[in-house]
């Protein structure tokens, strides 16, 4: 989910997520459910980047594409599963890159049942961009 | 070790309130009982910081009381109309009404009330907003921008 959507869902309930010295803070937290707060916590780093203005549409496209690739690996529901499987079958080296990225995320403390947002770093971001570019290239080739 | 770093930019938080019309967002509510025993909705507004304002951009206007009594019902109606609630809309409770006001844009007619020598903003009336909504969080990613 785009961090903008998470922030908007808090605002709809009369709460808000704001930057503070320690990262972010929730204003009027009692107006949102614990479940919603826990969900937002998983996306904390992306929310911080969004509030700082550092989360571009391109960045979201890259990270959400990689979220889908990992979800597909973990047998979780994804959009357009056939397209993803076809991409993986035709690009086995990309499967290796996904596994490499997942290992790096694991080393940073990521658990399989949570979003990777709080465990990403420069190295995982580079791999994410590489995978995104490969997937886009494959799509363009198909569309040509 | 320093315990205070002087920062002139923080002085603006003490800016005096000026009477006038403010573009604001409803950002909070509380349900309480008035001294009279009547139920009361207390709304909080935030003065928008993305449009010109008479003073205090980004600051909160707290404690706007909507007392549930016959003679104060006009305030519920006035705010509902100003934020664009369709005529005839039914609310099952005042809590439901307060919730539905959240995140709504409104133009507040603000006067001042004096308390212990200081002046605080007081909401005297409501108008429909005269400027568009701030960035509502629309996401500019098309299907062509992602591979799957």
């Amino acid at each position: 989910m785009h961090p903008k959507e998470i922030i908007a869902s808090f605002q709809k309930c009369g709460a808000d997520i704001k930057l503070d010295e320690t990262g972010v803070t929730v204003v009027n937290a009692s107006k949102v459910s614990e479940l919603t707060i826990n969900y937002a916590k998983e996306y904390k780093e992306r929310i911080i980047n969004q509030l700082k203005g550092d989360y571009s549409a391109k960045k979201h496209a890259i990270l959400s594409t990689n979220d889908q690739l990992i979800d597909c690996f973990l047998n979780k529901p994804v959009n357009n599963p056939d397209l993803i499987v076809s991409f993986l079958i035709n690009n086995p080296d990309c499967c290796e890159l996904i596994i490499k990225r997942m290992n790096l995320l694991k080393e940073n403390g990521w658990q399989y049942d949570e979003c990777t947002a709080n465990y990403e770093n420069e190295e995982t971001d580079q791999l994410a961009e590489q995978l995104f570019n490969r997937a886009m290239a494959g799509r363009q080739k198909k569309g040509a | 070790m320093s315990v205070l770093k002087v920062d002139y930019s923080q002085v603006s938080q003490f800016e005096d309130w000026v009477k006038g019309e403010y573009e604001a967002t409803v950002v909070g509510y509380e349900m309480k009982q008035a001294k009279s025993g009547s139920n009361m909705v207390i709304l909080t507004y935030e003065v928008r910081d993305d449009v010109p304002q008479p003073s205090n951009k980004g600051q909160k206007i707290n404690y706007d009381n909507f007392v549930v009594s016959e003679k104060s019902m006009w305030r519920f109606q006035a705010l509902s109309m100003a934020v664009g609630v369709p005529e005839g809309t039914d609310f099952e409770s005042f809590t439901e009404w307060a919730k539905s006001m959240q995140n709504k844009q409104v133009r507040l007619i603000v006067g001042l009330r004096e308390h212990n020598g200081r002046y605080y903003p007081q909401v005297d009336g409501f108008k429909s907003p005269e400027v568009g909504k701030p960035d509502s969080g629309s996401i500019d990613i098309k299907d062509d921008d992602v591979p799957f």
Side-chain angles (χ1 to χ4, degrees):
Chain A
M1 186 185 266
H2 197 291
K4 264 187 185 179
E5 292 177 273
I6 299 173
I7 295 166
S9 69
F10 273 64
Q11 289 170 341
K12 262 184 204 162
C13 302
D16 204 357
I17 306 180
K18 299 213 160 161
L19 284 173
D20 72 358
E21 286 168 359
T22 59
V24 281
T25 187
V26 177
V27 182
N28 290 335
S30 60
K31 298 202 171 140
V32 285
S33 69
E34 208 180 320
L35 202 69
T36 309
I37 290 181
N38 288 337
Y39 185 78
K41 275 182 185 168
E42 281 194 29
Y43 287 83
K44 184 178 166 187
E45 288 304 315
R46 292 185 195 172
I47 291 171
I48 290 172
N49 287 334
Q50 170 67 32
L51 292 171
K52 285 180 178 170
D54 295 336
Y55 195 81
S56 62
K58 178 76 188 285
K59 181 95 180 162
H60 181 68
I62 292 170
L63 292 177
S64 61
T65 297
N66 277 269
D67 288 347
Q68 295 225 57
L69 289 171
I70 287 182
D71 283 348
C72 185
F73 258 61
L74 298 176
N75 208 20
K76 291 181 186 174
V78 288
N79 300 330
N80 301 314
D82 294 346
L83 275 179
I84 299 177
V85 170
S86 161
F87 166 68
L88 296 174
I89 289 170
N90 292 311
N91 298 276
D93 58 319
C94 286
C95 293
E96 285 173 26
L97 290 179
I98 295 167
I99 293 166
K100 186 177 173 187
R101 186 166 181 268
M102 286 169 79
N103 276 327
L104 288 168
L105 292 163
K106 272 303 261 183
E107 282 169 19
N108 296 340
W110 171 60
Q111 303 291 316
Y112 292 130
D113 58 352
E114 59 182 336
C115 170
T116 61
N118 295 339
Y119 308 97
E120 288 155 352
N121 58 20
E122 208 180 323
E123 204 175 350
T124 63
D125 283 354
Q126 278 170 3
L127 284 170
E129 189 165 357
Q130 207 178 330
L131 282 160
F132 175 80
N133 290 338
R134 286 289 300 277
M136 283 302 280
R139 178 191 164 125
Q140 278 152 12
K141 234 184 258 171
K142 239 182 189 177
Chain B
M1 191 184 186
S2 167
V3 293
L4 171 72
K5 186 175 181 180
V6 176
D7 180 359
Y8 285 4
S9 68
Q10 290 191 27
V11 175
S12 63
Q13 66 184 292
F14 302 114
E15 185 183 358
D16 286 334
W17 285 92
V18 174
K19 274 186 190 177
E21 295 187 3
Y22 290 75
E23 294 288 343
T25 308
V26 185
V27 295
Y29 76 94
E30 208 180 334
M31 310 302 292
K32 275 202 169 173
Q33 216 163 35
K35 280 179 188 166
S36 63
S38 304
N39 289 327
M40 184 165 71
V41 181
I42 306 172
L43 292 187
T44 303
Y45 310 93
E46 188 170 290
V47 176
R48 283 176 58 175
D49 61 4
D50 58 338
V51 294
Q53 305 281 6
S55 69
N56 284 285
K57 276 185 177 186
Q59 296 299 308
K60 297 269 195 313
I61 296 177
N62 297 308
Y63 311 118
D64 188 22
N65 300 341
F66 291 72
V67 180
V68 180
S69 69
E70 207 173 315
K71 68 174 185 179
S72 298
M73 211 44 67
W74 68 271
R75 295 197 85 234
F76 289 91
Q77 302 292 1
L79 179 57
S80 302
M81 187 169 86
V83 303
V85 176
E87 192 168 19
T89 302
D90 280 322
F91 291 99
E92 297 295 322
S93 67
F94 287 99
T95 306
E96 187 193 350
W97 176 83
K99 280 183 180 167
S100 79
M101 292 299 115
Q102 300 308 299
N103 211 28
K104 295 279 196 302
Q105 307 300 314
V106 62
R107 190 171 177 90
L108 300 174
I109 302 166
V110 174
L112 300 174
R113 69 185 158 82
E114 193 258 336
H115 181 68
N116 289 340
R118 288 197 65 181
Y119 287 92
Y120 296 90
Q122 172 179 286
V123 179
D124 291 335
F126 309 97
K127 287 182 172 180
S128 296
E130 291 182 6
V131 291
K133 277 191 171 186
D135 178 8
S136 60
S138 60
I139 296 158
D140 310 320
I141 299 173
K142 300 177 196 79
D143 282 350
D144 288 348
D145 296 335
V146 286
F148 312 123

